Amino acid sequence: MASDSESSDVTPDDQHEHLRPEGTEPLARIAVDYTPDACRHAPESGEIHVTYDHRGGARWRSRSRFLPGGAVAAAVRAPAGDTAGLNYNLYLSSLEGSGDMDEIDFEFLGNEKRAVQTNFFVAGRGGREAVHELPFDSSDGFHHYAVAWGAEAIEWRVDGEMIRREERRDGEPWPEKPMFLYASFWDASGVDEGRWTGTYHGRDAPYVCSYRDVRVPVALSAKEEEEEEE
């Protein structure tokens, strides 16, 4: 397992401009929805480390929702070792667990370190999955993942290269609800009888998924601005 201290190493590639999409700012504050002792946030370095072990995993999120018309981004290093069965991710959702949620995903499937799945949901309905091969092992180092989400299109980018673009079609539903930025780390062995992520063995636990330079849109939704003020 890679240690947290290794994640603070900065290479020249991490300074590429695509790490900071226009109209974004660093995510300064997070909320942890469960197992807070398995999630370590270091605001001074902009790093978040989520551990999966005997406690299970954890889920963190932004404290505010964001409107369409912006981008979210982060450098992510997948956990090392045999991660079969595990799911770790970066995604937008109007409210995790809600039956009518809008959502836009990057999901890493633990049985395949050289692929990432994208998907989006509208009013709780998904079924728009696509799996993309990666030209690298996602646990070897930090790589950059970004989603640009607007009223007419969604774009997913990896290390600055667009891997998927979905354009809105007349009459078809579209994700329009304000969304939080989320990330979680969990055992997905039970999904589709283990065919999705494989079966969890845990032989290399504890596992650490690391995030840094997390970027979110500058503007909040009016509703969330009011809540923040309260």
Side-chain angles (χ1 to χ4, degrees), residues 85-102:
L86 296 175
N87 177 285
Y88 29 97
N89 46 60
L90 185 74
Y91 64 102
L92 289 156
S93 177
S94 55
L95 184 62
E96 171 64 38
S98 171
D100 66 346
M101 67 184 180
D102 287 356

Side-chain angles (χ1 to χ4, degrees), residues 18-210:
H18 66 251
L19 288 175
R20 299 170 177 84
E22 184 178 354
T24 65
E25 63 184 358
L27 176 64
R29 302 168 60 210
I30 67 170
V32 181
D33 291 337
Y34 59 83
T35 325
D37 58 336
C39 182
R40 184 170 68 83
H41 181 208
E44 66 281 358
S45 64
E47 296 185 1
I48 303 169
H49 306 282
V50 184
T51 299
Y52 189 92
D53 55 17
H54 64 279
R55 299 167 295 183
R59 182 175 69 224
W60 62 262
R61 61 174 173 83
S62 60
R63 289 180 175 266
S64 299
R65 291 183 176 97
F66 308 103
L67 292 166
V72 295
V76 183
R77 185 179 62 194
D82 178 359
T83 56
L86 296 175
N87 177 285
Y88 29 97
N89 46 60
L90 185 74
Y91 64 102
L92 289 156
S93 177
S94 55
L95 184 62
E96 171 64 38
S98 171
D100 66 346
M101 67 184 180
D102 287 356
E103 184 172 305
I104 305 171
D105 301 333
F106 268 118
E107 296 193 90
F108 298 88
L109 312 180
N111 58 350
E112 180 49 79
K113 297 277 188 72
R114 291 182 173 270
V116 67
Q117 178 178 289
T118 60
N119 195 9
F120 71 100
F121 292 73
V122 183
R125 299 190 67 176
R128 303 173 176 90
E129 299 92 342
V131 176
H132 313 268
E133 292 185 7
L134 299 173
F136 52 80
D137 182 321
S138 56
S139 67
D140 282 348
F142 281 91
H143 291 272
H144 185 258
Y145 304 86
V147 172
W149 162 49
E152 301 301 328
I154 305 168
E155 293 183 355
W156 292 258
R157 293 180 180 269
V158 176
D159 287 341
E161 298 294 326
M162 186 167 64
I163 64 167
R164 181 178 180 182
R165 176 181 170 88
E166 292 286 342
E167 296 185 358
R168 187 174 193 170
R169 299 176 184 176
D170 290 344
E172 291 193 2
W174 191 253
E176 298 180 303
K177 297 181 179 76
M179 297 202 222
F180 293 104
L181 176 64
Y182 281 94
S184 64
F185 196 3
W186 58 291
D187 180 1
S189 296
V191 178
D192 194 21
E193 300 181 342
R195 286 185 288 268
W196 189 43
T197 61
T199 301
Y200 180 68
H201 303 289
R203 58 175 57 95
D204 294 317
Y207 301 96
V208 177
C209 189
S210 297

